[in-house]
Amino acid sequence: MRHFITLNDITTNEFNHILELSASIKQEVKQGNYRHYLPNKILAMIFEKQSLRTRVSFETGMLQLGGGSIYLGSEIGFGKRESIKDIAEVLSSMVSIIMFRGMKHQSVVDLAQYSSVPVINGLTDSAHPCQALADMFTLHEIFGSLRGYKLAWIGDANNVAISLLRAAAKLGMEFSVAAPDEFQFNSSTVKNLIGENVTEGFNIELTNDPYKAVKNAIAVYTDVWVSMGQENEEEERKKILQPYQVNAKLMSAAQSNAVFLHCLPARRGLEVTDEVIDSTQSKVVQQAENRLHAQKGLLVWLLNETQLVK
Ligand code: CP
Ligand code: NVA
């Protein structure tokens, strides 16, 4: 049984294969050809946290692929009204695939353990692999092969940064993280996060200096300073992360053709200025749209891998 809980669940070859599949499905759709790769397949989507992109991209994706999806929010009482085991077993008896967005990473691990259908992580406190997949798809569309290129992360080294780190390691990119000590990786966490999943060309730079991070970068990426579930740390985080705002001055220190990326939702005026997010360098809408295309590739690949016909 294959799951997509973190990017460590797939090899570099599989990563590249999913990117190629996503590109070809996207191209078909742009030509008006909505091929039904997944007729009668149903995706159950469990949400413990809010979402715009994740819900809409998975729901739209399943419909375009000839299947369907079911949104399950707080009414199911995940882990409270009934156990994760019972939920996993019941859903597995009715649907072909499960997507989970939740608080604790352990919950998606438990769900996968008890599920007999593939489980996709749609964001937890320590990973957002679907986002990183779509981001690499986007960078690939813009720059072609990514090996040796530098991606700069500015701000909190959070769940999105963790998944991008793994993606950079897999695709042989340089990954530079500028963050204050409180919200920075350290070299042993980096080692634990990527394990043996490293492709030649990968390099990690950890710094407190955003200008150092963006030097020679082809992409400058940031995310909110206060992720979902961290609302009680808001004031402290805003103070500590203030020097890590991505503004026009910082963007001008990156490579001249660099793009700005953000997974969205953004807090304009905090981690990024309007001037940057609304500039021609900003690819945030292309990134968001690519959640749809990259996840369609992922869904088709996962269900084919699992040879699941329900
Ligand atoms: N980027 C992302 O996952 O967006 P949502 O939280 O709106 O799903
Ligand atoms: N780091 C953010 C990402 C949202 C898509 C969060 O976890 O809230």
Side-chain angles (χ1 to χ4, degrees):
M1 171 66 49
R2 300 297 299 265
H3 299 293
F4 190 67
I5 305 302
T6 76
L7 284 171
N8 291 346
D9 290 331
I10 57 171
T11 65
T12 295
N13 281 344
E14 287 169 340
F15 197 140
N16 284 318
H17 174 69
I18 296 167
L19 294 180
E20 280 164 25
L21 187 58
S22 305
S24 86
I25 297 174
K26 178 173 180 177
Q27 201 179 10
E28 285 168 7
V29 165
K30 295 288 172 190
Q31 290 160 352
N33 178 12
Y34 291 84
R35 267 177 70 184
H36 285 181
Y37 291 89
L38 301 178
N40 305 319
K41 298 287 190 292
I42 303 297
L43 167 74
M45 306 188 294
I46 304 172
F47 283 90
E48 288 189 303
K49 286 176 174 169
Q50 294 171 305
S51 168
L52 173 68
R53 281 144 289 271
T54 303
R55 177 179 180 178
V56 176
S57 55
F58 272 110
E59 216 167 303
T60 304
M62 284 306 292
L63 271 175
Q64 290 182 349
L65 292 167
S69 64
I70 303 166
Y71 174 87
L72 301 167
S74 57
E75 71 280 5
I76 67 164
F78 185 83
K80 297 185 193 98
R81 182 169 180 261
E82 58 188 319
S83 69
I84 296 178
K85 179 173 188 285
D86 290 350
I87 290 175
E89 289 179 354
V90 170
L91 286 179
S92 299
S93 76
M94 297 186 207
V95 305
S96 314
I97 187 157
I98 299 168
M99 192 284 299
F100 175 79
R101 163 167 289 199
M103 302 287 177
K104 295 198 200 91
H105 189 75
Q106 189 58 41
S107 299
V108 74
V109 173
D110 293 346
L111 199 55
Q113 184 190 334
Y114 297 118
S115 171
S116 52
V117 299
V119 173
I120 295 175
N121 180 355
L123 180 144
T124 60
D125 53 357
S126 66
H128 198 0
C130 294
Q131 183 67 51
L133 189 66
D135 297 338
M136 290 303 164
F137 181 81
T138 305
L139 287 176
H140 197 269
E141 279 187 326
I142 300 169
F143 296 105
S145 169
L146 299 175
R147 189 174 295 189
Y149 278 137
K150 183 177 180 185
L151 168 62
W153 176 271
I154 311 296
D156 182 18
N158 63 11
N159 46 1
V160 175
I162 289 172
S163 290
L164 285 173
L165 163 68
R166 291 187 172 122
K170 281 217 145 61
L171 299 186
M173 295 185 79
E174 280 192 48
F175 192 52
S176 185
V177 182
D181 290 345
E182 293 89 332
F183 304 120
Q184 177 61 288
F185 295 123
N186 63 49
S187 40
S188 74
T189 22
V190 167
K191 221 167 172 254
N192 287 337
L193 288 168
I194 57 181
E196 303 303 314
N197 297 275
V198 177
T199 296
E200 205 187 317
F202 170 68
N203 189 34
I204 177 92
E205 177 179 58
L206 304 177
T207 175
N208 295 139
D209 180 359
Y211 285 88
K212 188 171 176 206
V214 303
K215 190 167 189 275
N216 299 323
I218 52 133
V220 178
Y221 201 130
T222 191
D223 185 13
V224 287
W225 293 337
V226 184
S227 284
M228 293 181 277
Q230 297 172 337
E231 290 76 8
N232 58 351
E233 298 169 25
E234 177 154 355
E235 285 319 306
E236 186 204 356
R237 286 175 160 271
K238 274 160 70 175
K239 221 173 359 188
I240 298 172
L241 285 154
Q242 181 57 47
Y244 294 86
Q245 182 185 69
V246 178
N247 50 36
K249 187 169 168 233
L250 185 64
M251 278 307 292
S252 69
Q255 207 165 278
S256 59
N257 62 342
V259 296
F260 170 73
L261 300 177
H262 191 309
C263 56
L264 303 181
R267 294 284 299 271
R268 288 163 172 261
L270 292 180
E271 76 273 6
V272 59
T273 59
D274 284 340
E275 194 182 3
V276 169
I277 200 169
D278 295 327
S279 71
T280 51
Q281 281 177 291
S282 174
K283 301 296 169 199
V284 299
V285 177
Q286 183 178 343
Q287 242 185 302
E289 180 189 328
N290 281 337
R291 290 289 304 279
L292 168 65
H293 306 298
Q295 285 159 201
K296 284 169 76 181
L298 173 68
L299 288 161
V300 172
W301 175 77
L302 255 183
L303 285 168
N304 279 340
E305 272 304 293
T306 313
Q307 297 188 327
L308 203 91
V309 179
K310 234 182 225 278

